[in-house]
Amino acid sequence: MSSYFRNYLFVIAVFSCGFSFGQENSITGSVFDTNGEALIFANVLLLRPNDSTIVKGVITNEGGNFLMDDVDHGNYLLKISLLGFRDFIKELSMGTVSISIGKIELSIQNEELDGVQVMGRKALYQQKSDRLILNVGALTTFSGNNGLQVLQKAPGVIVKENSNSISLNNKGEVLIMINNRISRIPQAALMQQLKGMRAENIERIELIHQPSAKYDSNNSAGIIHIVLKENTMNGLNGNMSLMAGIGQKEKFNGSLDLNYRKGKLNLYANATGFSSKSPMWEVNHFREYEYQGDQYFYGNQLVFTNPRDHSLGLTLGADVEINTKSTIGALFGYTKSNMSGYDYTSVSEGTINNIQNTNSQYLLDIDNPNRNTFVNLNYYSHLSDTKSINIDVDRVALDVQNFSGLSFVNPPEELDMLEADRNSKFEIYTLKGDFEWEMENDSKLETGLKGTFNNSRSALQNRNRIDGAWSEDETFRRDDQISETILAVYGSYQKKWNDLWESSVGARLENYKYELDDVVNGNDFSTDYTNLFPVARTTYSIDSIQTMTLSYNRRIERPAFFHLAAFYLLIDPSLYVSSNTRLRPAFADAVRLAYNQGSFLVAIEINRTKGAISFYNTVDKEMGLQTSTPINFDRMNGYLLTTSFPIKLSNFWKMNWNLDGAYKKVKDTSNRPLPFEKGLFTVTAQLNNVFELGNSWTANIDGRYMSPFISGDQIQFQYHYMNFGISKRFNNESTLTFSVQDATATSGKDEWEYHQPELSIKTYGDNDFSERVFQLTYSFPFGNQKIKEKRNRKTGSQEERDRM
């Protein structure tokens, strides 16, 4: 552990005294076989010992000799490899003197290979100048997890499933990007999509804190990029995964990947599905306030008994190589999901001056089916060895329905039932073109254009049943038509000045038009913004494994579609959660300074957001209503200190720590009768233990603790949790995994509170969606396993699917 304290002292010394420059030396040697014959074209790689990333690389000449010069001080791994021979690996410590390895003999690998099989294990976490990478494929015990569970284990990611929220370092909602396509489907639908995604299909998760100008400028918190595994095998092959689990109710999920490659044609398909039943969820809301000299209290307890959650997804794709430089492709996707349940119990009780004045019981039915389809057409071409273009045309269609029915067990007078029914339809078209030019002198130019055209309609209807007859409640009727156009152009330039300095600068110019047609009330609304979003980053390489990075960017947070479109949550007749058609975009500026030494990271970030979007929680005292509505807060400022580092306790036990300390302050005066201002310091500790048990057995234990944090005008608290898994990999590359998800049965627990004493209002509550689940997963590959390169497919439409 002392080495990490030395790292901290080194960072302080760098900040206070400036940078120091190390001397550079060389490594030489000769490579032969066991018969003394010189080996030509052997690969000689210099690797970082923490994560095996490549520092330098050369090949041997006709005499089997190699020379690797300009090597900075530090510790390394020297790896020498050649097809048909066993690898040679040696630890090196480079000081002020050049090193001669001498004569190295590679022994012949006796096994006869049908094809080439490349195997290796990446570090669980990798640090880059602009992102932190969680290598899901590095840990077989992730098998059986769904995409949402994997996200919960990513450092700094906060998943609140009950409110369909995913945030990063508590800076707000993030953009979710899947294989370079940013999702714009509604958060509730996105949650279902992530639940249907299997960990076996995820290669890595990239937490991009300050995206470049190439990416959409939406969402001030950054981007979470989920990179799915790509099948690079020739012929017909695939992978299947099956999971069965039991908590207090049964769980099932599975996935099937198929890939066929022959000549210039590549066809692929993926099918996923899950079905889950849960025993009981709880959601509780309370309010206390003073009105006309009296003290009021009201509480509602909602119990979800045996909710059902299921999803089915299908993806079909094809790529055809027109010639050696150009490829066209088509991609089709379909997902269908539903969360439903019946006869949930909702109990409410109210008092005035501690004397009961209301006591009501209800039965709640919910049904939330949604369907999502997308089609993508893609053209990619190498214009030359240094230039390429990528063009995408996309269409996304989404149909979401939300039904809730509240039946009175003891009806007040004639009213015995309330129903809320919403139907939302979205249609999005995206046109996108990117140009890349690898220029001389280690520089790169990227430019592009993008147009997004969205049309949506959300209709909301509430009905009352009085004496068996239904009538519509006109108070809650909504019919909103939204038209949105986003036109963007960007440019960025990267330059490596020398072995020490590397910089990038870019800007994205966006024009955003929003028009609301309020069919029912006639409260039409429109807005038009044109903004420039600059990005700048410079990196200084202290030596081969140490870097300092200073970056700045400006981003926008546009309102989520379901914050704008017609929405009403029916849980209790006096609890009103609704949308806001007049939300404006928020603008955020962030500066980040980071120090890396291999997998060790220390970073400081300052971010300031004007017009931040969050929920305003209060009480309408005259009507006796508890309300929650999204608004534009005046300001939200944050200060973040984060550190991440591995610890190797033994040859079989490795730890990965992620520690965050953050201070966030919220201020709002424009939307309230009295100003609201609150700040809070939050500490987060996340730990992942990996155990290499031998004979292809791997185990892991992970968990997280987070102190209370501020979100909008609420103080929230998420309980700690812990997960366990053990996995066996067999000779045929299949794996069998047993895991215990949420071993402490606490990951779904959280509490919240809004308190403004000046107004004599306090609203608070808690919920529990936790369930300890034991699950067994078997995953196995099949078909031809020979390696052949496959292009990295980049498309454009999902950049539009996250805000919905």
Side-chain angles (χ1 to χ4, degrees):
M1 183 75 77
S2 60
S3 63
Y4 290 103
F5 286 113
R6 288 197 298 270
N7 289 332
Y8 276 111
L9 293 175
F10 177 79
V11 174
I12 295 172
V14 169
F15 286 154
S16 60
C17 302
F19 301 113
S20 63
F21 300 83
Q23 297 176 355
E24 298 170 341
N25 299 288
S26 63
I27 301 173
T28 58
S30 304
V31 183
F32 297 85
D33 64 15
T34 54
N35 295 322
E37 295 290 335
L39 294 179
I40 307 172
F41 302 127
N43 295 303
V44 184
L45 301 177
L46 197 62
L47 310 175
R48 292 177 180 172
N50 290 334
D51 54 12
S52 297
T53 55
I54 298 174
V55 178
K56 288 181 179 292
V58 297
I59 61 174
T60 56
N61 61 17
E62 295 179 355
N65 304 311
F66 67 87
L67 168 64
M68 190 178 294
D69 54 14
D70 295 334
V71 180
D72 295 332
H73 299 176
N75 297 320
Y76 303 97
L77 292 177
L78 181 71
K79 179 179 179 181
I80 302 176
S81 61
L82 184 64
L83 184 62
F85 293 85
R86 297 187 184 277
D87 293 348
F88 171 87
I89 298 177
K90 180 180 178 64
E91 294 183 357
L92 295 179
S93 180
M94 177 60 70
T96 59
V97 180
S98 296
I99 295 177
S100 175
I101 304 299
K103 183 178 179 180
I104 301 164
E105 288 188 354
L106 299 186
S107 59
I108 297 176
Q109 191 170 24
N110 294 322
E111 296 87 348
E112 185 177 346
L113 302 177
D114 265 344
V116 179
Q117 185 177 26
V118 178
M119 294 182 61
R121 173 162 294 174
K122 296 180 180 179
L124 184 61
Y125 297 105
Q126 287 180 285
Q127 300 289 347
K128 302 295 182 183
S129 61
D130 65 337
R131 68 194 67 192
L132 172 65
I133 300 174
L134 168 62
N135 287 306
V136 179
L139 197 57
T140 55
T141 48
F142 277 133
S143 181
N145 288 198
N146 62 44
L148 202 59
Q149 290 169 329
V150 174
L151 269 185
Q152 287 177 314
K153 299 172 184 179
V157 177
I158 302 173
V159 176
K160 292 187 282 187
E161 189 174 345
N162 60 306
S163 59
N164 298 314
S165 171
I166 302 175
S167 61
L168 181 59
N169 293 124
N170 194 28
K171 293 190 293 182
E173 295 295 309
V174 297
L175 222 56
I176 301 294
M177 184 164 64
I178 303 172
N179 278 6
N180 292 291
R181 304 173 68 242
I182 295 182
S183 175
R184 279 175 60 89
I185 62 176
Q187 287 292 89
L190 177 62
M191 290 287 193
Q192 294 294 322
Q193 181 178 342
L194 292 173
K195 285 183 183 179
M197 187 181 296
R198 312 312 325 147
E200 294 82 354
N201 297 331
I202 301 175
E203 178 67 27
R204 65 184 184 273
I205 294 176
E206 301 178 346
L207 309 179
I208 309 175
H209 297 280
Q210 291 189 312
S212 69
K214 180 177 181 178
Y215 297 113
D216 189 277
S217 62
N218 186 38
N219 288 64
S220 58
I223 294 176
I224 296 178
H225 184 201
I226 301 174
V227 181
L228 302 179
K229 292 180 180 178
E230 295 210 11
N231 196 323
T232 60
M233 310 301 180
N234 206 6
L236 177 64
N237 50 79
N239 187 83
M240 177 175 284
S241 177
L242 300 170
M243 188 281 283
I246 186 70
Q248 296 183 41
K249 293 288 183 177
E250 62 274 11
K251 327 281 181 185
F252 302 97
N253 67 52
S255 66
L256 173 65
D257 285 280
L258 293 172
N259 190 79
Y260 176 76
R261 290 182 59 85
K262 185 175 182 180
K264 298 182 178 181
L265 177 66
N266 182 38
L267 303 174
Y268 50 95
N270 169 261
T272 61
F274 80 88
S275 178
S276 174
K277 294 181 180 179
S278 299
M280 186 178 295
W281 295 341
E282 296 182 13
V283 177
N284 303 308
H285 291 83
F286 307 97
R287 60 180 177 265
E288 300 173 7
Y289 59 96
E290 180 184 350
Y291 180 56
Q292 294 183 346
D294 294 318
Q295 296 294 328
Y296 286 77
F297 168 82
Y298 189 88
N300 172 259
Q301 295 87 41
L302 175 62
V303 177
F304 297 77
T305 307
N306 296 324
R308 295 184 292 273
D309 200 1
H310 61 267
S311 175
L312 177 66
L314 176 66
T315 302
L316 301 172
D319 291 331
V320 179
E321 296 179 8
I322 304 173
N323 51 47
T324 57
K325 294 185 176 181
S326 302
T327 305
I328 60 172
L331 190 65
F332 168 80
Y334 172 82
T335 59
K336 179 181 180 181
S337 62
N338 192 11
M339 202 279 253
S340 61
Y342 305 95
D343 292 337
Y344 299 158
T345 58
S346 179
V347 179
S348 300
E349 180 182 7
T351 65
I352 303 177
N353 299 323
N354 295 319
I355 300 174
Q356 187 179 84
N357 69 320
T358 61
N359 188 355
S360 304
Q361 297 184 38
Y362 315 94
L363 294 177
L364 177 66
D365 298 340
I366 62 172
D367 191 27
N368 300 296
N370 71 75
R371 296 189 304 274
N372 171 27
T373 61
F374 71 89
V375 178
N376 165 263
L377 299 176
N378 172 263
Y379 173 76
Y380 178 82
S381 179
H382 282 285
L383 302 178
S384 67
D385 292 339
T386 59
K387 300 175 184 178
S388 65
I389 60 170
N390 188 81
I391 299 174
D392 283 288
V393 179
D394 294 67
R395 178 185 181 271
V396 178
L398 181 68
D399 187 350
V400 179
Q401 298 179 43
N402 301 102
F403 167 82
S404 56
L406 199 63
S407 303
F408 292 79
V409 176
N410 300 306
E413 302 176 352
E414 300 88 359
L415 179 64
D416 62 1
M417 190 170 183
L418 302 174
E419 284 187 353
D421 195 3
R422 184 189 66 180
N423 193 336
S424 299
K425 295 182 182 295
F426 298 85
E427 188 173 36
I428 301 173
Y429 289 91
T430 304
L431 303 175
K432 178 174 177 283
D434 297 299
F435 171 76
E436 293 187 6
W437 182 8
E438 297 278 356
M439 306 170 70
E440 296 180 354
N441 301 322
D442 292 323
S443 59
K444 182 179 180 180
L445 177 67
E446 293 181 320
T447 62
L449 300 167
K450 184 172 183 181
T452 301
F453 312 92
N454 166 60
N455 289 285
S456 64
R457 183 165 188 169
S458 293
L460 171 67
Q461 185 181 44
N462 277 30
R463 296 178 294 274
N464 302 327
R465 191 173 69 187
I466 301 176
D467 287 337
W470 287 99
S471 63
E472 182 178 356
D473 188 342
E474 297 289 343
T475 305
F476 296 98
R477 188 183 174 203
R478 293 273 300 276
D479 189 348
D480 297 337
Q481 297 183 33
I482 293 176
S483 174
E484 184 184 56
T485 301
I486 305 172
L487 301 177
V489 58
Y490 77 89
S492 65
Y493 177 74
Q494 297 174 250
K495 171 67 175 177
K496 185 173 182 180
W497 303 100
N498 50 46
D499 289 340
L500 300 177
W501 292 96
E502 183 176 349
S503 302
S504 64
V505 62
R508 189 178 184 94
L509 182 66
E510 290 189 353
N511 176 255
Y512 170 64
K513 292 183 179 179
Y514 168 80
E515 294 183 357
L516 166 71
D517 181 6
D518 185 346
V519 177
V520 174
N521 301 310
N523 295 322
D524 298 345
F525 177 71
S526 64
T527 187
D528 190 333
Y529 289 89
T530 299
N531 296 99
L532 184 68
F533 300 96
V535 180
R537 181 181 296 110
T538 185
T539 299
Y540 172 72
S541 297
I542 301 170
D543 56 30
S544 60
I545 61 173
Q546 298 182 91
T547 60
M548 298 281 291
T549 301
L550 178 65
S551 56
Y552 161 80
N553 74 347
R554 178 174 171 81
R555 295 182 63 78
I556 187 174
E557 181 181 358
R558 301 188 191 95
F561 288 124
F562 280 4
H563 285 165
L564 296 166
F567 176 76
Y568 169 62
L569 179 65
L570 180 60
I571 293 179
D572 176 271
S574 67
L575 176 63
Y576 186 76
V577 182
S578 65
S579 57
N580 181 359
T581 58
R582 280 157 174 74
L583 284 173
R584 306 179 309 277
F587 295 89
D589 294 272
V591 177
R592 181 180 176 90
L593 177 63
Y595 164 77
N596 282 84
Q597 181 179 340
S599 294
F600 174 83
L601 167 74
V602 179
I604 302 171
E605 181 177 324
I606 301 173
N607 55 79
R608 302 196 171 188
T609 305
K610 183 178 180 180
I613 300 170
S614 192
F615 278 86
Y616 171 27
N617 299 274
T618 190
V619 174
D620 184 331
K621 297 181 179 181
E622 184 177 356
M623 300 294 294
L625 293 176
Q626 182 175 340
T627 64
S628 184
T629 307
I631 63 169
N632 290 102
F633 283 67
D634 292 336
R635 282 202 174 273
M636 289 188 185
N637 298 333
Y639 308 88
L640 175 66
L641 173 65
T642 182
T643 181
S644 175
F645 54 89
I647 300 177
K648 185 177 180 180
L649 298 179
S650 69
N651 289 332
F652 70 92
W653 183 5
K654 296 179 182 178
M655 283 184 176
N656 285 278
W657 280 94
N658 295 280
L659 305 174
D660 294 338
Y663 179 77
K664 187 174 182 180
K665 188 172 184 179
V666 177
K667 184 177 181 180
D668 184 45
T669 60
S670 305
N671 304 281
R672 305 164 189 263
L674 291 176
F676 175 87
E677 188 170 357
K678 191 177 291 291
L680 189 66
F681 182 77
T682 302
V683 175
T684 304
Q686 194 162 356
L687 173 63
N688 195 304
N689 296 274
V690 181
F691 304 91
E692 300 288 351
L693 304 179
N695 295 322
S696 299
W697 284 93
T698 304
N700 87 290
I701 300 174
D702 67 88
R704 186 182 70 186
Y705 166 80
M706 186 176 188
S707 66
F709 59 94
I710 190 167
S711 177
D713 57 18
Q714 289 184 339
I715 302 297
Q716 299 187 0
F717 173 67
Q718 286 195 322
Y719 280 63
H720 62 278
Y721 66 80
M722 185 174 293
N723 305 295
F724 167 79
I726 185 168
S727 180
K728 166 69 174 178
R729 183 184 293 275
F730 300 97
N731 292 334
N732 63 354
E733 294 307 307
S734 63
T735 58
L736 182 66
T737 302
F738 171 75
S739 62
V740 184
Q741 298 299 313
D742 194 12
T744 53
T746 51
S747 68
K749 288 185 177 181
D750 55 34
E751 302 173 357
W752 64 90
E753 176 186 290
Y754 158 68
H755 189 200
Q756 193 164 2
E758 301 88 348
L759 297 175
S760 299
I761 294 175
K762 180 180 179 181
T763 66
Y764 55 100
D766 60 83
N767 63 258
D768 188 357
F769 289 79
S770 303
E771 182 184 7
R772 183 183 298 109
V773 177
F774 302 87
Q775 59 189 38
L776 190 66
T777 305
Y778 182 61
S779 178
F780 59 94
F782 56 87
N784 191 351
Q785 299 297 301
K786 293 182 180 179
I787 289 180
K788 183 176 180 178
E789 287 299 323
K790 174 188 173 184
R791 76 180 182 123
N792 182 18
R793 176 70 182 277
K794 296 183 179 181
T795 60
S797 71
Q798 279 198 3
E799 188 163 316
E800 321 317 321
R801 296 168 57 195
D802 178 53
R803 284 182 45 243
M804 292 173 55

